[in-house]
């Protein structure tokens, strides 16, 4: 066990040499170091959003699990807030507001960080839209890029700027900042655009859930805009064989994607990307960039 003091908070770091990504030899210590290295750009995307953790205490080749509840032994200095659940129930959930909390979570073998499309205390008032583009083999992220560019142009017609990031898995996320709007209305608008994409690109896009429809096409998942749903946060690691990262990308990179490997990034790639690009998703956090949710169909 190693004790370290970060911003005045004492954090106990344990089993730092435990390998969590065997294919890459990436240890829990490497996870802690990665999150420390990206904290400056990651924390603003987490601020005031209840976080769901994906934990993999024995590594990505063993069982991982989603954890929404506050873990036992959570330090008193970690921010915890009441969050509503379906049926009117409430639960307590961690909000990652600072570097000590982020590193405390990393020490729990938290690999993935997932957040809703709204911030506390305005629970259920969406401040962004998200479209999760999921390719069905043999389609890949290359086809996702074509769909993402269609969505960008369609959102722009409604006065909504948009930005992109890799999912850290197979696909791509397109996000648009909103002036706070009811999550149900935001979800309805996103569903409408997904349907339009399927109509405009029938050989490439499907907007319905059944997997049998997805072969060779891109599923535009709009459901993550519902207030109960969450999406992988920018810069989160993913519990994949290698330490892949949900990485913000520029529209030039999206346009230039010719091979699936062109938009695959792991933890070791992020330092040079941040030096070169900064945070391409920073405008998502700027209220002056947020657009108004269009009315009706």
């Amino acid at each position: 066990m190693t004790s370290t003091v970060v911003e005045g908070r004492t954090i106990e770091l344990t089993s730092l040499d435990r390998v969590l990504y065997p294919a890459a030899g990436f240890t829990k210590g490497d996870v802690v170091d990665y999150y420390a290295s990206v904290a400056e750009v990651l924390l603003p995307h987490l601020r005031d959003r209840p976080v769901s953790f994906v934990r993999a205490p024995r590594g990505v080749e063993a069982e991982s699990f989603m954890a929404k509840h506050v873990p036992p032994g959570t330090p008193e200095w970690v921010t915890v807030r009441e969050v509503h659940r379906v049926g009117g129930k409430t639960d307590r959930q961690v909000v990652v507001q600072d570097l000590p909390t982020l590193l405390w979570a990393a020490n729990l073998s938290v690999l993935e960080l997932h957040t809703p499309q709204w911030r506390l205390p305005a629970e259920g008032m969406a401040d962004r839209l998200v479209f999760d583009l999921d390719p069905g083999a043999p389609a890949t992220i290359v086809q996702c890029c074509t769909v993402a560019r269609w969505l960008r142009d369609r959102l722009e017609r409604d006065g909504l700027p948009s930005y992109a990031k890799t999912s850290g898995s197979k696909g791509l996320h397109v996000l648009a900042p909103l002036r706070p709007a009811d999550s149900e209305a935001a979800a309805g608008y996103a569903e409408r655009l997904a349907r339009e994409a399927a109509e405009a690109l029938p050989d490439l896009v499907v907007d319905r859930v059944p997997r049998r429809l997805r072969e060779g096409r891109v599923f535009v998942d709009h459901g993550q805009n519902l207030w109960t749903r969450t999406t992988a946060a920018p810069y989160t690691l993913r519990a994949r064989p290698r330490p892949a990262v949900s990485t913000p990308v520029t529209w030039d990179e999206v346009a230039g994607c010719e091979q699936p490997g062109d938009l695959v990034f792991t933890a070791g790639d992020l330092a040079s990307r941040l030096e070169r690009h900064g945070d391409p998703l920073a405008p998502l956090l700027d209220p002056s960039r947020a657009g108004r949710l269009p009315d009706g169909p």
Side-chain angles (χ1 to χ4, degrees), residues 66-78:
M66 176 76 80
K68 291 180 178 288
H69 300 290
V70 178
T74 296
E76 55 85 23
W77 44 261
V78 169

Side-chain angles (χ1 to χ4, degrees), residues 182-194:
D182 179 76
S183 290
E184 190 171 321
Y189 172 73
E191 181 178 9
R192 189 161 72 250
L193 261 61

Side-chain angles (χ1 to χ4, degrees), residues 50-93:
V51 176
S52 300
F53 297 139
V54 174
R55 298 176 61 180
R58 295 180 179 82
V60 297
E61 293 184 355
E63 183 179 1
S64 61
F65 59 94
M66 176 76 80
K68 291 180 178 288
H69 300 290
V70 178
T74 296
E76 55 85 23
W77 44 261
V78 169
T79 300
V80 174
R81 294 286 182 265
E82 292 286 332
V83 179
H84 284 84
R85 301 284 187 234
V86 174
K89 297 181 179 179
T90 61
D91 200 0
R92 298 168 73 247
Q93 205 163 340

